[in-house]
């Protein structure tokens, strides 16, 4: 069964600090892996997308990495801001599955002043 | 580009009534739309996949007669929660795919059934 597991489930950090969120997956092969940010009461918004052959992708203070050998991805947030408080979801698109997605359980990040 | 809207953003209804939620792709045509449900502190759970002009495909455990889906055009899909009960209270999110595999998510609809 295709699975996507994220850790930690929740995280509290101080404003200005860095943090790294983890995503382990068993989906293989896959078309792409995305990280989404979901603010409370809002829909997910795509932060990064990586194909199987990519190792890293940046979007401002967000940097995603992908290790296809170990089936792990991480999302690194630099110089955190209060507005980074949200849930971060790792989503994998199985190869040849059309539009279907496999979602991780998410990491709830809280940035405190 | 690739904006998806949902209406309403929040709805409160009495138990036993029906509620309709609209999902629109504003600047692209979506051959496929998806409906998700999200309970507090949980990730999105796929309810059904709808293709324009054909019947929706429901995930296991989702009652098709309770959650009616209509994908009447390439820019509009509706989800109707019939005879809503308090346990149907949840956050409903739609997404739309223009055919290339990428899903674009709507902002969600908060449903509270009293």
């Amino acid at each position: 069964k295709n699975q996507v597991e994220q850790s930690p489930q929740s995280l509290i950090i101080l404003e200005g600090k860095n943090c790294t969120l983890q995503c382990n997956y068993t989906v293989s092969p896959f078309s792409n892996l995305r990280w989404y940010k979901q603010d409370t009461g809002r829909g997910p918004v795509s932060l990064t997308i990586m194909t199987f052959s990519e190792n890293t992708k940046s979007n401002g203070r967000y940097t995603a990495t992908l290790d296809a050998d170990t089936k792990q991805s991480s999302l690194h947030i630099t110089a955190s801001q209060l507005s980074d408080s949200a849930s971060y979801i790792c989503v994998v698109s199985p190869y040849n599955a059309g539009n279907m997605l496999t979602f991780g359980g998410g990491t709830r990040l809280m940035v405190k002043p | 580009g690739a904006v998806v809207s949902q209406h309403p953003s929040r709805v409160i209804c009495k138990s036993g009534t029906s509620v309709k939620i609209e999902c629109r792709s504003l600047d692209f045509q979506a051959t496929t739309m998806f409906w998700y449900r999200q309970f507090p502190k949980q990730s999105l759970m796929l309810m059904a996949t709808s293709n324009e002009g054909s019947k929706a495909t429901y995930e296991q455990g989702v009652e098709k007669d309770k959650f009616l889906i209509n994908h009447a055009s390439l820019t509009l899909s509706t989800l109707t929660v019939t005879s809503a009960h308090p346990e149907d209270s949840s956050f409903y999110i739609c997404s739309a795919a223009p055919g290339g595999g990428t899903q674009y998510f709507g902002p969600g609809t908060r449903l509270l059934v009293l």
Side-chain angles (χ1 to χ4, degrees):
Chain A
K1 179 181 178 182
N2 288 334
Q3 286 186 319
V4 178
E5 295 184 355
Q6 293 185 240
S7 62
Q9 284 190 331
S10 61
L11 181 63
I12 301 174
I13 62 174
L14 293 176
E15 186 180 12
K17 297 297 185 181
N18 304 334
C19 67
T20 300
L21 314 180
Q22 299 292 342
C23 173
N24 295 335
Y25 61 92
T26 61
V27 181
S28 183
F30 67 93
S31 298
N32 58 70
L33 184 148
R34 292 174 181 264
W35 282 92
Y36 285 89
K37 177 187 179 185
Q38 185 179 20
D39 292 310
T40 300
R42 305 292 295 173
V45 175
S46 181
L47 295 175
T48 62
I49 176 172
M50 290 181 291
T51 62
F52 181 85
S53 60
E54 294 180 291
N55 299 121
T56 185
K57 187 67 69 77
S58 292
N59 178 3
R61 294 180 296 104
Y62 302 103
T63 299
T65 64
L66 174 63
D67 186 333
D69 291 330
T70 61
K71 295 185 173 57
Q72 294 179 327
S73 177
S74 66
L75 180 69
H76 186 74
I77 304 175
T78 304
S80 61
Q81 300 176 358
L82 298 179
S83 59
D84 292 333
S85 296
S87 287
Y88 292 83
I89 307 172
C90 175
V91 182
V92 182
S93 299
Y95 185 73
N96 272 346
N99 301 115
M100 302 307 290
L101 303 175
T102 302
F103 289 81
T107 292
R108 292 188 303 280
L109 174 66
M110 180 179 293
V111 180
K112 290 191 170 182
Chain B
V3 178
V4 177
S5 69
Q6 284 184 238
H7 178 79
S9 59
R10 183 184 295 254
V11 57
I12 301 173
C13 69
K14 292 183 178 180
S15 184
T17 61
S18 294
V19 175
K20 179 184 286 187
I21 303 171
E22 293 185 349
C23 176
R24 294 181 185 270
S25 55
L26 299 184
D27 49 5
F28 65 97
Q29 292 186 328
T31 53
T32 307
M33 286 186 169
F34 301 83
W35 286 97
Y36 295 86
R37 181 166 50 182
Q38 185 177 34
F39 292 105
K41 297 184 179 181
Q42 295 185 22
S43 194
L44 284 70
M45 294 178 58
L46 180 65
M47 298 175 65
T49 303
S50 73
N51 293 292
E52 187 267 338
S54 62
K55 289 185 178 180
T57 301
Y58 291 81
E59 294 299 299
Q60 190 173 8
V62 179
E63 300 175 56
K64 63 180 182 180
D65 294 329
K66 180 169 183 62
F67 299 99
L68 300 179
I69 293 173
N70 187 322
H71 193 160
S73 76
L74 287 172
T75 60
L76 173 65
S77 176
T78 60
L79 168 67
T80 301
V81 183
T82 63
S83 186
H85 288 98
E87 58 265 30
D88 297 324
S89 298
S90 187
F91 192 54
Y92 292 86
I93 302 174
C94 75
S95 70
T102 299
Q103 290 188 33
Y104 299 95
F105 290 90
T109 296
R110 175 75 61 192
L111 170 64
L112 177 60
V113 184
L114 301 177

